[in-house]
């Protein structure tokens, strides 16, 4: 296994044991805020430098331009209504063990497009090369033709030919522009009947997903909807929802489906990113 696949901090898994090996750094104090959380991520991250392929760079630019253009046309028409949720209709699955948030998120995200539920997480885990450390954001070649080092988009594109999924990395402390771009991207995907796979990095003192404890957690979720007010709120499917507390002790407080501020979830994904 490459260095990028070894150890909780390098792999976007659900971390249940208090954080990565080098977490002697105590992290920000409770309530310290997003900037302190971002600084902690920057101090402790050991993920190797990411590289997009030429095709990924082309596709990212093309999709970003399309999403921005659609958002501008919507704003010009005044298509901002009540805060009802517009959804692509992903089908939630509870992850089958403590480190299978990635495979569960993959099959949930796929279901938004083809409306097929209850797919095998074991098969998805094999394609993603998930192990007990979880599912990598970057640095692991998926078990599919022509892998790029980003397993989630590679497997989604293998399973959904023509989907054009691409990774979008975020800085440790996402900017206002990053947050605006994410809003455009979730609207773009939802309008095409696709979901987004989000890679959360929650840290002590920073923002957390609904029901998650104040500890360091690496986690995948499927983001499949947004409010009809410029996507100020998004809807996501959390694979921890419905997991027995004998498997994940705090799972009982986690809903299968939740809403959260789009700015907050963008901050939570800082230092990793999302697949759209």
């Amino acid at each position: 296994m490459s260095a990028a696949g070894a150890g909780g901090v390098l792999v976007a898994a659900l971390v249940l044991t208090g954080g990565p090996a080098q977490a002697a750094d105590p992290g920000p104090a409770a309530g310290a805020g997003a900037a302190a959380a971002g600084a902690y991520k920057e101090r402790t991250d050991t993920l190797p430098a990411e590289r997009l392929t030429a095709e990924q760079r082309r596709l990212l630019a093309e999709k970003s331009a399309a999403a921005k253009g659609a958002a501008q046309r919507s704003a010009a028409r005044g298509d901002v209504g009540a805060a009802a949720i517009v959804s692509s209709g992903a089908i939630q699955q509870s992850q089958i063990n403590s480190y299978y948030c990635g495979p569960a998120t993959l099959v949930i995200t796929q279901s938004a497009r083809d409306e097929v539920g209850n797919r095998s997480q074991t098969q998805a885990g094999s394609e993603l090369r998930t192990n007990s450390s979880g599912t990598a954001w970057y640095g692991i070649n998926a078990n599919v033709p022509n892998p790029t080092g980003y397993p989630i988009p590679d497997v989604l594109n293998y399973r959904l030919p023509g989907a054009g999924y691409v990774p979008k990395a975020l800085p440790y402390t996402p900017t206002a522009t990053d947050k605006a771009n994410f809003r455009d991207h979730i609207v773009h995907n939802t309008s095409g009947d696709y979901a987004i796979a989000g890679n959360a990095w929650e840290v002590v003192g920073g923002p957390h997903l609904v029901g998650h404890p104040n500890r360091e957690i690496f986690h995948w979720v499927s983001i499949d909807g947004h409010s009809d007010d410029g996507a100020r709120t998004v809807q996501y499917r959390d694979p921890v929802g419905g997991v027995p507390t004998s498997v994940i002790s705090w799972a009982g407080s986690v809903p299968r489906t939740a809403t959260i501020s789009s700015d907050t979830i963008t901050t939570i994904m800082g230092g990793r990113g999302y697949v759209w």
Side-chain angles (χ1 to χ4, degrees):
M1 181 183 297
S2 70
V9 75
L10 301 178
V11 176
L14 177 62
V15 176
L16 303 176
T17 56
Q22 80 268 34
D25 185 324
Y40 167 78
K41 293 178 182 182
E42 186 169 10
R43 290 196 306 271
T44 60
D45 194 9
T46 56
L47 191 72
E50 299 177 46
R51 293 180 176 84
L52 296 175
T53 66
E55 175 61 14
Q56 286 171 329
R57 291 194 298 272
R58 182 199 67 78
L59 188 58
L60 182 59
E62 180 182 286
K63 292 183 70 174
S64 295
K68 181 62 68 178
Q72 290 171 344
R73 290 190 295 274
S74 175
R77 291 192 303 265
D79 296 347
V80 177
I85 295 294
V86 179
S87 175
S88 56
I91 303 168
Q92 195 266 0
Q93 283 193 44
S94 303
Q95 61 192 76
I96 59 175
N97 60 41
S98 64
Y99 55 88
Y100 253 48
C101 57
T105 291
L106 185 124
V107 297
I108 295 168
T109 302
Q110 183 180 355
S111 74
R113 181 61 179 173
D114 61 20
E115 300 180 354
V116 176
N118 297 316
R119 281 193 170 91
S120 168
Q121 293 182 34
T122 301
Q123 180 181 347
S126 176
E127 292 172 356
L128 292 165
R129 299 191 190 276
T130 299
N131 59 29
S132 59
S133 293
T135 303
W137 162 251
Y138 171 71
I140 298 294
N141 280 328
N143 186 23
V144 297
N146 305 311
T148 68
Y150 291 90
I152 289 278
D154 287 346
V155 176
L156 282 171
N157 288 330
Y158 173 70
R159 289 176 166 227
L160 294 169
Y165 272 101
V166 65
K168 172 60 178 174
L170 289 169
Y172 299 107
T173 304
T175 65
T177 298
D178 294 316
K179 295 171 182 178
N181 288 340
F182 174 72
R183 293 194 294 271
D184 291 345
H185 296 172
I186 184 58
V187 171
H188 175 277
N189 271 40
T190 302
S191 66
D193 207 25
Y194 290 98
I196 284 176
N199 195 186
W201 184 356
E202 303 169 277
V203 302
V204 174
H208 286 263
L209 298 170
V210 178
H212 287 213
N214 185 31
R215 63 175 69 173
E216 186 163 20
I217 300 169
F218 291 82
H219 189 45
W220 285 97
V221 296
S222 184
I223 307 163
D224 77 324
H226 61 85
S227 56
D228 194 20
D229 61 355
R232 298 293 172 179
T233 299
V234 296
Q235 173 179 280
Y236 67 94
R237 315 285 181 169
D238 193 330
V240 172
V243 173
T245 55
S246 59
V247 176
I248 298 174
S249 62
W250 45 268
S253 65
V254 178
R256 294 173 183 265
T257 300
T259 57
I260 192 171
S261 157
S262 59
D263 288 359
T264 298
I265 200 168
T266 305
T267 297
I268 289 170
M269 295 185 293
R272 291 299 181 260
Y274 54 94
V275 176
W276 73 294

